[in-house]
Amino acid sequence: MRKLAFLFVLFLTAGMMAKAADVTFKAVAPSAVVMGQQFRLAYTVNAEAKASDLRIPELADFDVLMGPSTSSSMSTQIINGNVSSETAFTFTYILMPKKEGTFNIGAASIKVKGANYTSNALSINVLPPDKAAEAAGGTGSGQSASIGKDDYFVRMEVSDRSVYEQEGFLVTFKLYAARMCGLDNAKFPEFEGFLAQEIEQPNPQWIQAHYNGRNYFTVVLKQTVLYPQRSGKLTIESGKFDAVIRVPTQRKIRSIFDDFADTYDNVKKILVSSPVTIDVKALPSGKPASFSGAVGNFTMTSDINSNNVKTNDAVTIKLKITGNGNIKLIKNPEVVFPNDFDIFDPKVETDVKTTAAGVSGSKTIEYMAIPRYAGDFEIPAISFSYFDPKSATYKTLKSEPYKLHVEQGEGGSSSSPVVSNFSNKESVKYLGKDIRFLKVKDFNFVANNDIFFGSFMYYMCYLVPAILFIVFFFIYRKQVKENSNIALVRTKKANKIAVKRLKNAGKLMKENKKEEFYDEVLRALWGYLSDKLNISQASLTKDNVETELTRYGVDEALINEFMDILNTCEFARYAPAQASDAMDKLYELTVDAIGKMENTIKKQ
């Protein structure tokens, strides 16, 4: 028994020594107080300390009514045989503000076992008294059985009501309450015409705020960064919220201590936020050629894996775009590799974070190509343009051009490439014998008039292959000529490739993979337009697509249908979950639109 007691004391002492090595010193006070009301300022250190070792900053904006009062607590935990113990000392001051405004309380310091530790600083907002409470002749701390029309409401607070297209702004839904209450149901607007990026609210806290002469308890219900997708007057519709408010009643109940306690009823009140209209300005003219819709403030870096490679070795260019703005909608800048390189689809990684300051982070694009022939090549500078809403100007970022030396490698070729229509090669096999032996038996004689030589069929056997050879020769020549026209080949295969991608999108729709489905539909549409119009995807924009389709004689209604599908896909990737029937409808509209487009362009 003595051994067990000794081991327990030993473990307890070791745990306390280990815990003492990690000392924290923290200051706590309410973020907002009302003028004339007292509040607590508490300093807590998780180690044994004395009030005489505490040094607090000057509190010129507050009256110190009492303090410091000292309290302590101790906790011990035993988890899987590991003993941990913590002692905390709290030093509390009672303060009262001298005037209204926002005031900072600097960091305090304390000495623990010869070492100095510093607390965090605080900011306190001193609110004016509640005018409604003053008019009623009270302090506003009591609870009334009635609910006034201004006691509870939800405000939609917008950081900026005049923005550029694709410029982000913050929308905050905040509940104002005379007393803290709950919400049964919250229905936020759909943000039609905007790309919405919601900010996570892990642990919303009630704080006091002054509004229209009254003090309220406020809590943030939702914060969203919105990016307008078109210019003009866009309206954010109202939200609807069901508040549950505890209202005191006249009834009293007897408690177990033989006294009377108040009773409350839960009253539901529907709160509706007012709609807000945003003035969205169109982006100014003079867009650079490398502009593809990026709005915000960005930087760009690029690097290449090597300037000296061998044939059939991969060349990788990594491009990183960093900044704040509509980074998720940025299209990949175009990298122009030499014609003799095999080019692969770029690998894209997006790392973003959404805060009240907007969507910030980075987008990394890796471009890969494989040289097939030796020589010296140059990859031109990569350009990326964006619109800066603060200066209302377009800005262009450029990388350095890369000079590439390609040496002869295994399986490569040092000669110039030859254009061929053949997709694969076949080996030649030797099948014959050197001498065929004479046949000496099992033969039959044929009558003279039955001899095949000189007959009609004999001449037809020569004539038919000759005609077929001439026909196939001209067909082959025509195919070689068409295949040498890359634009024509892309145009012919556009519908086939789009149908293949839409079939894949149909599979993703059945598997209810929403984001992958919309991505695949977007790839099918942009790929089809790129092939049909003979424009690289990096250079495609909604503006030049409309111009080119109009030049091809496509009906305006069909062009608008295509644009609506593109916008729907881009919104749906980041919008809240859509119903499955919306995906079905979009899939049918896309198939129908591509079919109409194919028939229209074929007639031209």
Side-chain angles (χ1 to χ4, degrees):
M1 189 64 183
R2 290 181 179 179
K3 290 182 179 181
L4 291 175
F6 174 75
L7 289 173
F8 178 77
V9 173
L10 181 64
F11 286 140
L12 182 62
T13 305
M16 292 178 67
M17 290 177 64
K19 199 66 179 179
D22 185 18
V23 177
T24 59
F25 184 36
K26 185 178 181 181
V28 177
S31 59
V33 296
V34 178
M35 182 65 189
Q37 291 185 352
Q38 302 175 8
F39 67 95
R40 293 174 182 268
L41 170 63
Y43 294 96
T44 301
V45 58
N46 63 339
E48 188 173 351
K50 298 179 180 178
S52 58
D53 295 328
L54 174 64
R55 298 290 182 268
I56 65 172
E58 183 180 0
L59 302 173
D61 300 310
F62 303 91
D63 289 326
V64 181
L65 304 182
M66 189 185 75
S69 60
T70 306
S71 61
S72 62
S73 62
M74 181 176 178
S75 62
T76 303
Q77 289 183 333
I78 303 176
I79 301 175
N80 295 332
N82 297 320
V83 180
S84 62
S85 180
E86 182 176 274
T87 301
F89 280 77
T90 301
F91 307 97
T92 305
Y93 294 84
I94 304 298
L95 307 181
M96 179 178 285
K98 295 180 180 180
K99 55 186 176 181
E100 301 169 9
T102 301
F103 307 101
N104 295 322
I105 299 178
S109 64
I110 195 169
K111 182 179 287 186
V112 177
K113 296 181 180 180
N116 287 321
Y117 297 92
T118 304
S119 74
N120 55 297
L122 296 171
S123 178
I124 297 178
N125 184 20
V126 180
L127 307 175
D130 193 315
K131 292 182 179 179
E134 288 182 346
T139 62
S141 58
Q143 295 190 8
S144 172
S146 62
I147 300 176
K149 64 175 184 178
D150 296 329
D151 287 350
Y152 298 87
F153 57 91
V154 174
R155 286 186 67 211
M156 178 168 44
E157 300 175 356
V158 178
S159 62
D160 197 347
R161 295 180 184 236
S162 179
V163 297
Y164 283 98
E165 185 179 350
Q166 293 292 348
E167 180 186 359
F169 63 95
L170 179 66
V171 176
T172 303
F173 291 87
K174 187 180 289 187
L175 170 62
Y176 287 74
R179 296 182 297 274
M180 295 183 190
C181 64
L183 282 181
D184 246 2
N185 185 31
K187 185 178 181 181
F188 297 95
E190 295 294 334
F191 304 126
E192 184 178 353
F194 299 90
L195 170 65
Q197 298 290 289
E198 188 171 347
I199 302 173
E200 292 185 4
Q201 304 287 334
N203 188 24
Q205 300 288 330
W206 287 93
I207 61 172
Q208 281 188 293
H210 191 80
Y211 180 72
N212 281 350
R214 291 192 59 180
N215 293 325
Y216 292 92
F217 291 97
T218 66
V219 63
V220 174
L221 303 178
K222 183 176 183 176
Q223 281 189 312
T224 304
V225 179
L226 297 183
Y227 292 91
Q229 300 299 298
R230 60 178 183 267
S231 58
K233 301 286 186 181
L234 300 183
T235 299
I236 305 175
E237 300 298 335
S238 303
K240 186 177 179 181
F241 311 88
D242 296 336
V244 180
I245 305 167
R246 293 185 69 210
V247 177
T249 66
Q250 300 296 327
R251 301 188 307 273
K252 301 286 185 178
I253 59 172
R254 187 183 297 275
S255 69
I256 59 175
F257 300 105
D258 205 26
D259 59 354
F260 290 93
D262 295 331
T263 59
Y264 297 86
D265 285 338
N266 287 335
V267 177
K268 285 191 176 183
K269 181 177 176 65
I270 298 176
L271 311 177
V272 179
S273 62
S274 300
V276 174
T277 299
I278 307 297
D279 180 20
V280 183
K281 296 173 286 186
L283 296 179
S285 58
K287 299 175 183 177
S290 57
F291 178 76
S292 60
V295 176
N297 187 20
F298 302 98
T299 60
M300 183 181 74
T301 59
S302 69
D303 61 77
I304 190 170
N305 62 332
S306 178
N307 294 97
N308 295 280
V309 296
K310 294 183 178 180
T311 55
N312 298 324
D313 287 345
V315 176
T316 302
I317 293 179
K318 182 181 289 187
L319 197 69
K320 187 173 185 179
I321 300 173
T322 306
N324 185 297
N326 60 343
I327 196 165
K328 286 187 175 181
L329 297 181
I330 291 177
K331 291 187 178 181
N332 300 337
E334 184 179 11
V335 178
V336 181
F337 287 100
N339 292 331
D340 303 334
F341 285 34
D342 287 345
I343 304 172
F344 298 86
D345 290 337
K347 177 184 177 183
V348 181
E349 291 183 359
T350 305
D351 181 18
V352 296
K353 182 173 64 174
T354 305
T355 64
V359 178
S360 59
S362 63
K363 184 173 186 177
T364 304
I365 310 112
E366 287 189 14
Y367 301 87
M368 190 178 75
I370 296 179
R372 298 302 185 189
Y373 305 96
D376 292 315
F377 304 91
E378 180 174 336
I379 300 173
I382 307 167
S383 298
F384 168 69
S385 297
Y386 66 94
F387 178 75
D388 185 356
K390 290 185 178 179
S391 62
T393 57
Y394 292 99
K395 297 181 179 180
T396 300
L397 306 175
K398 286 189 176 183
S399 70
E400 58 178 322
Y402 295 107
K403 294 187 181 297
L404 193 63
H405 177 68
V406 181
E407 297 179 353
Q408 181 63 34
E410 295 182 4
S413 174
S414 59
S415 60
S416 299
V418 178
V419 178
S420 174
N421 188 41
F422 298 106
S423 59
N424 51 48
K425 297 179 179 134
E426 296 178 357
S427 60
V428 179
K429 299 180 181 178
Y430 175 68
L431 301 175
K433 298 273 187 167
D434 189 14
I435 298 175
R436 294 186 182 274
F437 294 100
L438 296 175
K439 189 173 184 179
V440 294
K441 59 179 179 178
D442 297 331
F443 56 87
N444 297 315
F445 291 102
V446 180
N448 188 40
N449 56 356
D450 292 336
I451 295 176
F452 181 72
F453 179 77
S455 64
F456 174 77
M457 290 302 298
Y458 172 79
Y459 291 110
M460 288 299 294
C461 287
Y462 281 96
L463 185 60
V464 171
I467 295 173
L468 291 176
F469 174 78
I470 294 171
V471 171
F472 285 130
F473 175 76
F474 282 105
I475 292 174
Y476 172 74
R477 287 289 300 274
K478 182 182 177 183
Q479 186 178 0
V480 170
K481 185 177 180 181
E482 290 179 352
N483 287 344
S484 64
N485 187 346
I486 304 300
L488 184 61
V489 173
R490 289 180 61 190
T491 302
K492 284 189 172 183
K493 293 185 177 180
N495 186 53
K496 184 178 180 181
I497 295 174
V499 170
K500 184 178 179 181
R501 283 177 172 164
L502 287 176
K503 285 183 179 179
N504 189 33
K507 294 179 182 178
L508 295 171
M509 178 180 63
K510 291 179 181 178
E511 296 172 3
N512 202 23
K513 294 182 178 179
K514 169 182 166 288
E515 187 170 347
E516 292 86 344
F517 167 76
Y518 288 111
D519 283 341
E520 193 66 24
V521 173
L522 272 177
R523 277 195 289 268
L525 289 172
W526 284 117
Y528 177 80
L529 292 172
S530 173
D531 292 338
K532 273 293 178 187
L533 304 178
N534 195 26
I535 301 175
S536 65
Q537 288 197 34
S539 302
L540 276 180
T541 64
K542 294 177 183 177
D543 293 336
N544 61 18
V545 164
E546 290 186 19
T547 303
E548 289 297 317
L549 289 178
T550 303
R551 191 171 63 86
Y552 272 85
V554 179
D555 183 65
E556 184 178 355
L558 184 55
I559 296 175
N560 293 334
E561 187 175 348
F562 250 79
M563 295 300 106
D564 290 341
I565 295 173
L566 289 172
N567 291 332
T568 302
C569 289
E570 290 178 351
F571 299 158
R573 288 193 302 172
Y574 307 108
Q578 302 286 326
S580 59
D581 57 345
M583 296 168 64
D584 290 337
K585 184 177 179 181
L586 180 69
Y587 181 80
E588 293 174 0
L589 286 174
T590 306
V591 173
D592 182 60
I594 290 179
K596 291 179 181 177
M597 185 72 71
E598 188 71 15
N599 293 332
T600 303
I601 295 180
K602 275 184 178 180
K603 293 177 182 179
Q604 303 302 319

